[in-house]
Amino acid sequence: MVQTIQSTRKQLEGLPGCGKSVEVHSSFASQWANPQKDVNSKLPPKALDSLRNTVLHRLDVESTEEIPFSLILVDGILLFYDDANNESPGAECDTGLFIYAQYETLKQRREARSAYVTKDGIWEDPPGYFDSIVWPNFVKYHSNLIAAHPEITDRKVTSAGGQKSAHEANVAICSSDMPFKDTLEVCVESILGEWNRRQQIQAQR
């Protein structure tokens, strides 16, 4: 996956139209997350408009069409896994967004799933699968992140975390158990922070 991200970056950087905005799907629900029926109303329109205006102000532009960068979102459950060779796929990204959920939330979501199709056929979790396999491996492969952000495995929701270094990548940590508005604000701030950092580096050259 590391090689794939590197190759994709080389292909996309500098392409004509890379800075143009694209249509964003209104639904943020994943078929695996067992979303509520009102998932698209989690953020009131006024709150979304306020956040959009904040972004435009921070970037000193008047419309979303003038935003000077494009985003490539890479999604994966092991983007920030701990690797002895420091080759975590997330390290190839400009900034990282680690949106976790509490143990109880994850277990409820997992156990609410019906059987689903994989490349090897139909899979259904056997009894106790979450506690014996899923959770222990989540903790194992994210031990460095958890050491820096113990709230990930603490069974309580804390305030949004700041950005810390993990595998040479800036990773913003926040909980999906928080209000959606708070989670979204952490993600947006992480993206804007990385853009500002890149602009400062360019200005110093």
Side-chain angles (χ1 to χ4, degrees):
M1 188 173 184
V2 172
Q3 290 76 15
T4 301
I5 295 175
Q6 292 173 340
S7 174
T8 302
R9 288 188 65 135
K10 290 180 180 179
Q11 293 178 40
L12 293 176
E13 288 179 346
L15 285 180
C18 192
K20 294 182 179 179
S21 62
V22 295
E23 182 179 352
V24 178
H25 295 291
S26 59
S27 175
F28 58 85
S30 165
Q31 61 175 318
W32 306 122
N34 305 304
Q36 300 176 4
K37 292 182 179 180
D38 63 343
V39 67
N40 288 320
S41 64
K42 288 294 184 181
L43 190 67
K46 287 184 178 180
L48 185 58
D49 288 341
S50 176
L51 185 58
R52 181 183 294 110
N53 291 334
T54 297
V55 170
L56 297 180
H57 176 73
R58 294 269 299 276
L59 296 175
D60 194 24
V61 296
E62 295 184 358
S63 68
T64 54
E65 286 74 20
E66 298 177 46
I67 291 177
F69 56 82
S70 298
L71 297 178
I72 300 172
L73 299 179
V74 181
D75 176 49
I77 60 173
L78 290 175
L79 277 177
F80 305 111
Y81 74 93
D82 298 328
D83 184 88
N85 297 318
N86 201 30
E87 294 183 352
S88 166
E92 297 298 324
C93 301
D94 294 316
T95 189
L97 306 171
F98 189 84
I99 304 175
Y100 69 94
Q102 297 297 304
Y103 166 88
E104 289 81 6
T105 302
L106 292 175
K107 185 173 182 178
Q108 184 277 326
R109 288 176 181 173
R110 185 84 187 198
E111 293 181 347
R113 292 181 186 177
S114 57
Y116 53 94
V117 179
T118 71
K119 66 178 182 179
D120 297 318
I122 298 176
W123 170 264
E124 184 173 359
D125 287 354
Y129 187 77
F130 181 85
D131 284 317
S132 61
I133 302 295
V134 177
W135 183 253
N137 279 283
F138 169 77
V139 173
K140 174 183 177 180
Y141 289 108
H142 296 91
S143 58
N144 285 347
L145 275 179
I146 292 170
H149 301 273
E151 66 270 20
I152 293 173
T153 52
D154 285 349
R155 299 187 183 184
K156 60 184 178 181
V157 178
T158 60
S159 59
Q163 289 186 215
K164 293 189 178 182
S165 176
H167 299 302
E168 300 179 351
N170 289 324
V171 182
I173 309 291
C174 62
S175 171
S176 63
D177 289 290
M178 300 189 306
F180 178 66
K181 177 176 179 292
D182 295 345
T183 303
L184 181 59
E185 287 177 348
V186 172
C187 296
V188 170
E189 183 59 38
S190 175
I191 294 168
L192 293 178
E194 174 59 23
W195 173 252
N196 290 336
R197 186 187 70 82
R198 291 170 69 114
Q199 291 299 99
Q200 290 172 5
I201 292 175
Q202 270 194 337
Q204 294 171 0
R205 291 176 176 174

